[in-house]
Amino acid sequence: MIKLSDFDHLRNDPRIKFKTELVDDQEFTIVSYMIADPKLWQLPLALECRGITFNAAGECVSRPLTKFFNIGEREETQLGSLQLFNCTVLEKRDGSMLVPVLVNDTLRWKSKKSFYSDVAVAAQKAAPSAVKALAEALLRDGLTPIFEFTHPEHQIVINYGDEAKFTLIAVRNTKTGDYLSAETQEILCAAHNVDCIRRYQNHNVRHMIDELETVVDFEGYVIRHTNGLWTKAKSNWYLINHRIMTELRERDIALAVADECVDDIKSAVVAQSLSIDPILEIEQRVIGQLEALIKHSEALLELIKAEATQKDAAMKYKNDRYFALAMILYKEKEPNYVDFWKKHHLKVDYSLKVVYNQNFSGDTE
Protein backbone atom coordinates (compact mmCIF):
# COMPACT_ATOMS: atom_id res chain seq x y z
CA MET A 1 0.00 0.00 0.00
CA ILE A 2 1.36 3.39 -0.97
CA LYS A 3 1.87 5.82 1.92
CA LEU A 4 2.73 9.48 2.31
CA SER A 5 6.08 8.53 3.85
CA ASP A 6 7.02 6.85 0.54
CA PHE A 7 7.35 10.36 -0.89
CA ASP A 8 9.71 11.68 1.81
CA HIS A 9 12.65 11.66 -0.62
CA LEU A 10 10.84 14.37 -2.62
CA ARG A 11 10.02 16.73 0.27
CA ASN A 12 12.99 19.01 -0.32
CA ASP A 13 12.59 19.04 -4.10
CA PRO A 14 11.36 22.51 -5.16
CA ARG A 15 9.60 20.96 -8.13
CA ILE A 16 7.21 19.06 -5.83
CA LYS A 17 4.66 20.61 -3.49
CA PHE A 18 3.31 18.93 -0.36
CA LYS A 19 0.17 20.94 0.32
CA THR A 20 -1.94 20.48 3.44
CA GLU A 21 -5.63 21.40 3.25
CA LEU A 22 -8.31 21.23 5.92
CA VAL A 23 -11.60 19.87 4.60
CA ASP A 24 -14.56 19.53 6.98
CA ASP A 25 -12.11 19.48 9.91
CA GLN A 26 -10.09 16.68 8.31
CA GLU A 27 -6.49 17.21 7.24
CA PHE A 28 -5.28 16.05 3.83
CA THR A 29 -1.90 16.29 2.11
CA ILE A 30 -1.85 16.70 -1.66
CA VAL A 31 1.39 15.91 -3.49
CA SER A 32 1.74 17.58 -6.89
CA TYR A 33 4.52 18.56 -9.21
CA MET A 34 4.82 22.33 -9.53
CA ILE A 35 7.32 22.33 -12.39
CA ALA A 36 7.12 19.80 -15.22
CA ASP A 37 10.85 19.12 -15.45
CA PRO A 38 11.78 16.14 -17.68
CA LYS A 39 14.56 15.26 -15.22
CA LEU A 40 12.00 14.98 -12.42
CA TRP A 41 10.31 11.95 -13.96
CA GLN A 42 13.45 9.88 -13.43
CA LEU A 43 12.94 9.99 -9.65
CA PRO A 44 10.99 7.23 -7.85
CA LEU A 45 7.25 7.97 -7.58
CA ALA A 46 7.60 11.35 -9.31
CA LEU A 47 5.06 10.28 -11.94
CA GLU A 48 2.53 9.75 -9.14
CA CYS A 49 2.82 13.39 -8.05
CA ARG A 50 -0.21 14.52 -9.98
CA GLY A 51 -2.46 15.26 -7.04
CA ILE A 52 -2.17 12.04 -5.09
CA THR A 53 -3.81 12.67 -1.71
CA PHE A 54 -3.28 11.31 1.80
CA ASN A 55 -5.21 11.60 5.06
CA ALA A 56 -3.76 12.66 8.41
CA ALA A 57 -2.61 9.09 9.07
CA GLY A 58 -0.58 9.12 5.85
CA GLU A 59 -2.94 6.72 4.05
CA CYS A 60 -3.70 7.25 0.39
CA VAL A 61 -7.31 8.29 -0.15
CA SER A 62 -7.14 9.44 -3.78
CA ARG A 63 -4.89 8.23 -6.61
CA PRO A 64 -5.34 10.18 -9.86
CA LEU A 65 -3.78 9.34 -13.20
CA THR A 66 -0.02 9.17 -13.29
CA LYS A 67 1.86 11.57 -15.51
CA PHE A 68 2.09 10.14 -19.04
CA PHE A 69 3.50 11.49 -22.28
CA ASN A 70 2.86 12.31 -25.90
CA ILE A 71 3.83 9.91 -28.63
CA GLY A 72 7.30 10.96 -29.78
CA GLU A 73 8.07 12.97 -26.66
CA ARG A 74 10.34 10.45 -24.93
CA GLU A 75 12.50 7.54 -26.01
CA GLU A 76 9.97 4.94 -24.88
CA THR A 77 7.08 6.74 -26.63
CA GLN A 78 8.61 6.95 -30.10
CA LEU A 79 6.04 5.68 -32.58
CA GLY A 80 8.37 3.01 -33.94
CA SER A 81 8.96 1.60 -30.46
CA LEU A 82 5.33 1.31 -29.39
CA GLN A 83 3.26 -1.86 -29.42
CA LEU A 84 0.12 -0.80 -31.28
CA PHE A 85 -1.63 -4.17 -31.40
CA ASN A 86 -4.33 -5.14 -28.91
CA CYS A 87 -4.09 -1.77 -27.15
CA THR A 88 -7.02 0.22 -25.84
CA VAL A 89 -7.75 3.51 -27.57
CA LEU A 90 -9.84 6.08 -25.73
CA GLU A 91 -10.98 9.57 -26.61
CA LYS A 92 -8.98 12.36 -24.97
CA ARG A 93 -11.36 15.02 -23.73
CA ASP A 94 -10.43 18.67 -23.39
CA GLY A 95 -11.42 19.24 -19.78
CA SER A 96 -10.15 19.17 -16.20
CA MET A 97 -9.21 16.01 -14.32
CA LEU A 98 -11.21 15.66 -11.10
CA VAL A 99 -11.24 12.99 -8.41
CA PRO A 100 -13.63 12.58 -5.48
CA VAL A 101 -12.68 11.91 -1.86
CA LEU A 102 -14.93 10.74 0.97
CA VAL A 103 -14.63 13.20 3.85
CA ASN A 104 -16.70 12.33 6.91
CA ASP A 105 -18.84 10.16 4.62
CA THR A 106 -19.47 13.13 2.34
CA LEU A 107 -18.24 13.25 -1.25
CA ARG A 108 -15.83 16.13 -1.90
CA TRP A 109 -14.26 16.93 -5.27
CA LYS A 110 -10.69 18.02 -5.90
CA SER A 111 -8.61 19.05 -8.88
CA LYS A 112 -4.93 18.19 -9.20
CA LYS A 113 -3.77 20.64 -6.56
CA SER A 114 -6.73 21.55 -4.37
CA PHE A 115 -10.19 20.90 -2.98
CA TYR A 116 -10.78 24.64 -3.32
CA SER A 117 -9.83 25.42 -6.92
CA ASP A 118 -12.46 27.12 -9.07
CA VAL A 119 -13.01 23.91 -11.02
CA ALA A 120 -13.37 21.79 -7.87
CA VAL A 121 -15.88 24.24 -6.40
CA ALA A 122 -17.86 24.22 -9.65
CA ALA A 123 -17.84 20.42 -9.68
CA GLN A 124 -19.05 20.28 -6.09
CA LYS A 125 -22.12 22.25 -7.13
CA ALA A 126 -22.72 20.52 -10.45
CA ALA A 127 -22.20 16.80 -9.73
CA PRO A 128 -25.43 14.89 -10.50
CA SER A 129 -26.73 12.19 -8.15
CA ALA A 130 -25.82 9.34 -10.52
CA VAL A 131 -22.17 10.47 -10.69
CA LYS A 132 -22.02 10.85 -6.92
CA ALA A 133 -23.52 7.41 -6.36
CA LEU A 134 -20.99 5.72 -8.66
CA ALA A 135 -18.09 7.67 -7.18
CA GLU A 136 -19.07 6.81 -3.61
CA ALA A 137 -19.52 3.12 -4.42
CA LEU A 138 -16.06 2.92 -6.00
CA LEU A 139 -14.39 4.82 -3.18
CA ARG A 140 -15.89 2.48 -0.59
CA ASP A 141 -14.44 -0.45 -2.55
CA GLY A 142 -10.94 1.04 -2.32
CA LEU A 143 -10.96 2.43 -5.85
CA THR A 144 -10.32 5.97 -7.13
CA PRO A 145 -12.68 7.06 -9.91
CA ILE A 146 -11.15 9.67 -12.21
CA PHE A 147 -13.41 12.00 -14.14
CA GLU A 148 -12.93 14.53 -16.89
CA PHE A 149 -15.00 17.60 -16.07
CA THR A 150 -16.15 19.89 -18.86
CA HIS A 151 -18.07 23.06 -18.10
CA PRO A 152 -19.07 26.01 -20.31
CA GLU A 153 -17.49 28.44 -17.84
CA HIS A 154 -14.25 26.47 -17.73
CA GLN A 155 -13.83 25.72 -21.44
CA ILE A 156 -10.28 25.17 -22.63
CA VAL A 157 -10.52 24.78 -26.42
CA ILE A 158 -13.40 22.48 -27.37
CA ASN A 159 -17.01 23.41 -26.65
CA TYR A 160 -18.84 20.41 -25.19
CA GLY A 161 -22.18 22.19 -24.76
CA ASP A 162 -23.98 24.41 -22.31
CA GLU A 163 -24.06 22.01 -19.36
CA ALA A 164 -21.45 20.65 -16.98
CA LYS A 165 -20.49 17.06 -17.78
CA PHE A 166 -18.70 14.37 -15.79
CA THR A 167 -17.09 11.63 -17.88
CA LEU A 168 -15.43 8.65 -16.21
CA ILE A 169 -12.01 8.24 -17.82
CA ALA A 170 -10.28 5.74 -15.50
CA VAL A 171 -10.54 3.83 -12.23
CA ARG A 172 -7.48 2.98 -10.12
CA ASN A 173 -6.96 0.72 -7.17
CA THR A 174 -6.05 3.26 -4.50
CA LYS A 175 -3.61 0.91 -2.78
CA THR A 176 -1.87 -0.77 -5.72
CA GLY A 177 -2.33 1.80 -8.49
CA ASP A 178 -3.67 -0.84 -10.90
CA TYR A 179 -6.26 0.32 -13.40
CA LEU A 180 -9.59 -1.33 -14.11
CA SER A 181 -10.07 -2.31 -17.73
CA ALA A 182 -11.95 0.02 -20.03
CA GLU A 183 -14.57 -2.69 -20.48
CA THR A 184 -15.19 -2.86 -16.74
CA GLN A 185 -15.52 0.92 -16.61
CA GLU A 186 -18.18 0.78 -19.29
CA ILE A 187 -20.17 -1.81 -17.34
CA LEU A 188 -20.01 0.29 -14.19
CA CYS A 189 -21.09 3.43 -16.02
CA ALA A 190 -23.97 1.68 -17.75
CA ALA A 191 -25.19 0.32 -14.41
CA HIS A 192 -25.19 3.82 -12.88
CA ASN A 193 -26.25 5.78 -15.98
CA VAL A 194 -23.01 7.77 -16.01
CA ASP A 195 -21.09 8.93 -19.09
CA CYS A 196 -18.02 6.83 -19.86
CA ILE A 197 -15.10 7.87 -22.00
CA ARG A 198 -15.45 6.64 -25.55
CA ARG A 199 -13.53 3.49 -26.43
CA TYR A 200 -12.72 2.72 -30.07
CA GLN A 201 -13.17 -0.86 -31.23
CA ASN A 202 -11.88 -2.68 -34.32
CA HIS A 203 -9.37 0.09 -34.79
CA ASN A 204 -6.17 0.54 -36.75
CA VAL A 205 -4.17 2.59 -34.26
CA ARG A 206 -1.52 3.76 -36.71
CA HIS A 207 -4.23 4.91 -39.10
CA MET A 208 -6.05 6.75 -36.30
CA ILE A 209 -2.86 8.54 -35.31
CA ASP A 210 -2.21 9.52 -38.93
CA GLU A 211 -5.74 10.92 -39.20
CA LEU A 212 -5.03 13.35 -36.36
CA GLU A 213 -3.28 15.52 -38.94
CA THR A 214 -6.63 16.38 -40.56
CA VAL A 215 -9.46 15.96 -38.04
CA VAL A 216 -11.08 19.05 -36.49
CA ASP A 217 -13.03 19.77 -33.31
CA PHE A 218 -11.28 16.88 -31.63
CA GLU A 219 -8.45 16.78 -29.12
CA GLY A 220 -6.99 13.31 -29.66
CA TYR A 221 -6.51 9.89 -28.11
CA VAL A 222 -5.25 8.23 -24.96
CA ILE A 223 -3.70 4.85 -25.72
CA ARG A 224 -3.33 2.14 -23.10
CA HIS A 225 -0.70 -0.31 -24.35
CA THR A 226 -0.56 -3.98 -23.39
CA ASN A 227 2.68 -3.51 -21.42
CA GLY A 228 0.99 -0.99 -19.10
CA LEU A 229 2.40 2.11 -20.80
CA TRP A 230 0.02 4.98 -21.48
CA THR A 231 0.57 7.50 -24.27
CA LYS A 232 -1.40 10.35 -25.75
CA ALA A 233 -1.73 11.76 -29.25
CA LYS A 234 -3.32 15.10 -30.08
CA SER A 235 -4.73 16.44 -33.32
CA ASN A 236 -2.99 19.15 -35.28
CA TRP A 237 -6.21 21.15 -35.11
CA TYR A 238 -6.08 21.11 -31.34
CA LEU A 239 -2.43 22.06 -31.26
CA ILE A 240 -2.99 24.91 -33.68
CA ASN A 241 -5.73 26.24 -31.45
CA HIS A 242 -3.20 26.42 -28.68
CA ARG A 243 -1.20 28.71 -30.98
CA ILE A 244 1.85 26.55 -30.94
CA MET A 245 2.21 25.53 -34.56
CA THR A 246 3.06 28.92 -36.09
CA GLU A 247 5.37 31.78 -35.18
CA LEU A 248 6.65 29.97 -32.13
CA ARG A 249 8.71 32.46 -30.12
CA GLU A 250 11.03 32.10 -27.16
CA ARG A 251 8.48 33.86 -25.01
CA ASP A 252 5.69 31.54 -26.17
CA ILE A 253 7.72 28.50 -25.13
CA ALA A 254 8.68 30.01 -21.80
CA LEU A 255 5.04 30.83 -21.07
CA ALA A 256 3.99 27.32 -22.06
CA VAL A 257 6.52 25.85 -19.63
CA ALA A 258 5.15 27.99 -16.81
CA ASP A 259 1.55 27.12 -17.73
CA GLU A 260 2.37 23.39 -17.95
CA CYS A 261 1.37 22.96 -21.60
CA VAL A 262 4.82 22.71 -23.16
CA ASP A 263 4.14 18.99 -23.81
CA ASP A 264 1.79 20.08 -26.61
CA ILE A 265 4.50 22.21 -28.18
CA LYS A 266 6.96 19.32 -28.07
CA SER A 267 4.43 17.05 -29.72
CA ALA A 268 3.78 19.56 -32.51
CA VAL A 269 7.47 20.12 -33.12
CA VAL A 270 8.16 16.37 -33.28
CA ALA A 271 5.31 16.04 -35.79
CA GLN A 272 7.13 18.57 -37.99
CA SER A 273 10.35 16.49 -37.78
CA LEU A 274 12.12 19.33 -35.98
CA SER A 275 14.51 19.05 -33.05
CA ILE A 276 13.04 19.84 -29.62
CA ASP A 277 16.48 20.89 -28.29
CA PRO A 278 15.66 24.63 -28.44
CA ILE A 279 12.51 23.96 -26.41
CA LEU A 280 14.43 21.93 -23.84
CA GLU A 281 16.97 24.73 -23.42
CA ILE A 282 14.26 27.31 -22.73
CA GLU A 283 12.43 24.84 -20.50
CA GLN A 284 15.47 24.40 -18.28
CA ARG A 285 15.91 28.18 -17.99
CA VAL A 286 12.32 28.63 -16.84
CA ILE A 287 12.52 25.69 -14.46
CA GLY A 288 15.70 27.08 -12.92
CA GLN A 289 14.07 30.45 -12.37
CA LEU A 290 10.95 28.94 -10.78
CA GLU A 291 13.08 26.78 -8.52
CA ALA A 292 15.04 29.85 -7.46
CA LEU A 293 11.82 31.74 -6.65
CA ILE A 294 10.65 28.92 -4.40
CA LYS A 295 14.04 28.53 -2.76
CA HIS A 296 14.53 32.24 -2.03
CA SER A 297 10.96 32.68 -0.78
CA GLU A 298 11.23 29.77 1.63
CA ALA A 299 14.62 30.99 2.87
CA LEU A 300 13.22 34.47 3.50
CA LEU A 301 10.27 32.91 5.33
CA GLU A 302 12.65 31.40 7.87
CA LEU A 303 14.26 34.80 8.43
CA ILE A 304 10.86 36.41 8.91
CA LYS A 305 9.87 33.75 11.44
CA ALA A 306 13.00 34.52 13.42
CA GLU A 307 11.90 38.13 14.01
CA ALA A 308 10.07 39.01 17.22
CA THR A 309 7.00 40.39 15.47
CA GLN A 310 5.54 40.56 12.00
CA LYS A 311 6.04 44.33 12.10
CA ASP A 312 9.74 43.86 12.81
CA ALA A 313 10.00 41.47 9.91
CA ALA A 314 8.23 43.90 7.59
CA MET A 315 10.53 46.79 8.56
CA LYS A 316 13.60 44.67 8.01
CA TYR A 317 12.72 42.78 4.83
CA LYS A 318 10.03 44.84 3.07
CA ASN A 319 12.39 45.80 0.27
CA ASP A 320 13.41 42.24 -0.44
CA ARG A 321 12.27 41.15 -3.88
CA TYR A 322 10.68 38.01 -2.47
CA PHE A 323 9.02 39.61 0.56
CA ALA A 324 5.48 39.38 -0.83
CA LEU A 325 5.90 35.69 -1.63
CA ALA A 326 7.42 34.96 1.78
CA MET A 327 4.57 36.73 3.56
CA ILE A 328 2.03 34.61 1.73
CA LEU A 329 3.92 31.54 2.97
CA TYR A 330 3.99 33.08 6.45
CA LYS A 331 0.17 33.15 6.36
CA GLU A 332 0.25 29.44 5.41
CA LYS A 333 -1.09 30.07 1.94
CA GLU A 334 0.27 29.09 -1.45
CA PRO A 335 2.05 31.87 -3.40
CA ASN A 336 1.41 32.11 -7.10
CA TYR A 337 5.01 31.62 -8.15
CA VAL A 338 4.06 31.42 -11.81
CA ASP A 339 2.36 34.83 -11.78
CA PHE A 340 5.39 36.33 -9.99
CA TRP A 341 7.68 34.76 -12.60
CA LYS A 342 5.55 36.12 -15.42
CA LYS A 343 5.72 39.62 -13.97
CA HIS A 344 9.45 39.68 -13.29
CA HIS A 345 11.00 37.32 -15.87
CA LEU A 346 8.84 36.62 -18.92
CA LYS A 347 9.32 39.87 -20.86
CA VAL A 348 12.73 40.58 -19.36
CA ASP A 349 14.44 37.27 -20.06
CA TYR A 350 12.61 35.87 -23.10
CA SER A 351 12.57 37.59 -26.48
CA LEU A 352 10.06 37.61 -29.32
CA LYS A 353 12.57 35.89 -31.56
CA VAL A 354 10.96 33.09 -33.55
CA VAL A 355 12.61 29.81 -32.64
CA TYR A 356 12.20 27.69 -35.76
CA ASN A 357 11.32 30.04 -38.63
CA GLN A 358 14.40 32.21 -39.00
CA ASN A 359 12.66 34.39 -41.58
CA PHE A 360 10.89 36.11 -38.71
CA SER A 361 12.56 38.45 -36.27
CA GLY A 362 10.79 39.14 -33.01
CA ASP A 363 13.47 40.82 -31.02
CA THR A 364 11.40 43.96 -30.57
CA GLU A 365 7.77 44.44 -29.58
Side-chain angles (χ1 to χ4, degrees):
M1 177 177 179
I2 197 165
K3 305 180 297 296
L4 179 58
S5 58
D6 295 331
F7 293 77
D8 283 349
H9 64 289
L10 298 171
R11 281 193 177 272
N12 295 323
D13 194 313
R15 298 166 294 186
I16 302 292
K17 180 68 176 181
F18 288 73
K19 183 179 184 181
T20 299
E21 290 191 340
L22 197 65
V23 185
D24 296 340
D25 296 323
Q26 299 296 312
E27 184 178 283
F28 296 94
T29 299
I30 303 168
V31 185
S32 301
Y33 66 86
M34 304 294 289
I35 304 170
D37 182 359
K39 296 178 181 178
L40 175 63
W41 314 129
Q42 301 172 15
L43 301 179
L45 293 178
L47 294 173
E48 290 281 358
C49 297
R50 201 179 180 192
I52 190 168
T53 305
F54 302 87
N55 62 18
E59 302 164 335
C60 184
V61 296
S62 175
R63 198 163 185 177
L65 295 175
T66 59
K67 170 72 174 176
F68 61 101
F69 302 93
N70 290 299
I71 289 177
E73 183 178 349
R74 289 158 62 92
E75 183 177 353
E76 69 271 22
T77 66
Q78 297 301 313
L79 190 57
S81 303
L82 294 172
Q83 172 57 262
L84 298 181
F85 297 101
N86 299 320
C87 53
T88 300
V89 181
L90 306 170
E91 178 187 357
K92 191 176 191 310
R93 286 179 71 84
D94 183 36
S96 301
M97 182 181 71
L98 288 177
V99 290
V101 178
L102 279 175
V103 183
N104 297 331
D105 289 326
T106 299
L107 202 70
R108 295 295 301 264
W109 294 90
K110 65 175 289 291
S111 56
K112 185 177 84 169
K113 296 179 181 179
S114 179
F115 286 90
Y116 300 108
S117 66
D118 290 344
V119 172
V121 171
Q124 194 71 34
K125 297 176 181 177
S129 57
V131 168
K132 292 190 285 188
L134 173 58
E136 183 172 338
L138 291 170
L139 287 168
R140 293 193 185 281
D141 282 342
L143 301 168
T144 297
I146 304 161
F147 291 86
E148 196 78 6
F149 179 62
T150 52
H151 191 288
E153 295 181 6
H154 299 279
Q155 180 179 332
I156 301 175
V157 173
I158 300 175
N159 184 350
Y160 289 107
D162 297 329
E163 297 181 356
K165 295 180 181 178
F166 291 75
T167 304
L168 187 71
I169 58 173
V171 180
R172 293 189 80 185
N173 185 301
T174 307
K175 292 183 178 180
T176 67
D178 295 333
Y179 290 90
L180 296 189
S181 69
E183 294 85 351
T184 301
Q185 289 175 203
E186 291 169 350
I187 294 170
L188 290 168
C189 285
H192 287 79
N193 194 28
V194 170
D195 288 336
C196 189
I197 196 67
R198 179 183 178 185
R199 177 169 61 96
Y200 298 86
Q201 301 186 28
N202 302 319
H203 49 262
N204 180 321
V205 181
R206 181 58 185 262
H207 179 66
M208 294 174 72
I209 293 172
D210 290 342
E211 283 187 329
L212 289 176
E213 294 184 5
T214 56
V215 297
V216 297
D217 295 322
F218 183 71
E219 181 177 354
Y221 304 112
V222 170
I223 305 170
R224 295 171 59 168
H225 303 269
T226 54
N227 62 355
L229 180 70
W230 286 44
T231 58
K232 54 187 176 180
K234 298 184 180 182
S235 71
N236 280 352
W237 174 88
Y238 183 82
L239 298 175
I240 288 170
N241 277 275
H242 269 279
R243 296 179 297 177
I244 63 176
M245 291 294 290
T246 60
E247 300 185 5
L248 188 60
R249 304 168 302 181
E250 282 189 355
R251 193 173 297 171
D252 298 327
I253 296 172
L255 185 60
V257 173
D259 287 340
E260 296 184 14
C261 58
V262 74
D263 287 357
D264 294 338
I265 294 181
K266 292 177 182 176
S267 180
V269 168
V270 168
Q272 297 297 318
S273 300
L274 299 171
S275 170
I276 64 171
D277 288 345
I279 297 175
L280 296 178
E281 187 275 328
I282 295 170
E283 184 177 53
Q284 287 305 308
R285 286 166 57 194
V286 175
I287 288 168
Q289 290 171 336
L290 288 170
E291 288 179 345
L293 287 181
I294 296 171
K295 180 180 178 181
H296 289 305
S297 301
E298 291 179 344
L300 182 56
L301 171 64
E302 296 307 311
L303 295 175
I304 290 172
K305 287 181 176 180
E307 295 298 317
T309 67
Q310 184 175 333
K311 182 178 180 180
D312 291 338
M315 291 298 295
K316 189 171 183 178
Y317 298 110
K318 63 182 180 181
N319 293 324
D320 190 290
R321 183 180 188 184
Y322 307 101
F323 180 72
L325 296 176
M327 287 306 299
I328 294 173
L329 289 172
Y330 184 84
K331 296 175 183 178
E332 297 184 346
K333 295 183 178 181
E334 180 66 25
N336 194 324
Y337 294 111
V338 171
D339 276 358
F340 186 93
W341 174 87
K342 288 178 182 178
K343 181 178 179 180
H344 294 277
H345 289 280
L346 181 60
K347 291 185 177 181
V348 175
D349 299 329
Y350 299 91
S351 75
L352 296 177
K353 179 181 178 181
V354 175
V355 175
Y356 289 100
N357 189 339
Q358 298 304 316
N359 292 323
F360 290 89
S361 176
D363 289 335
T364 60
E365 293 187 274

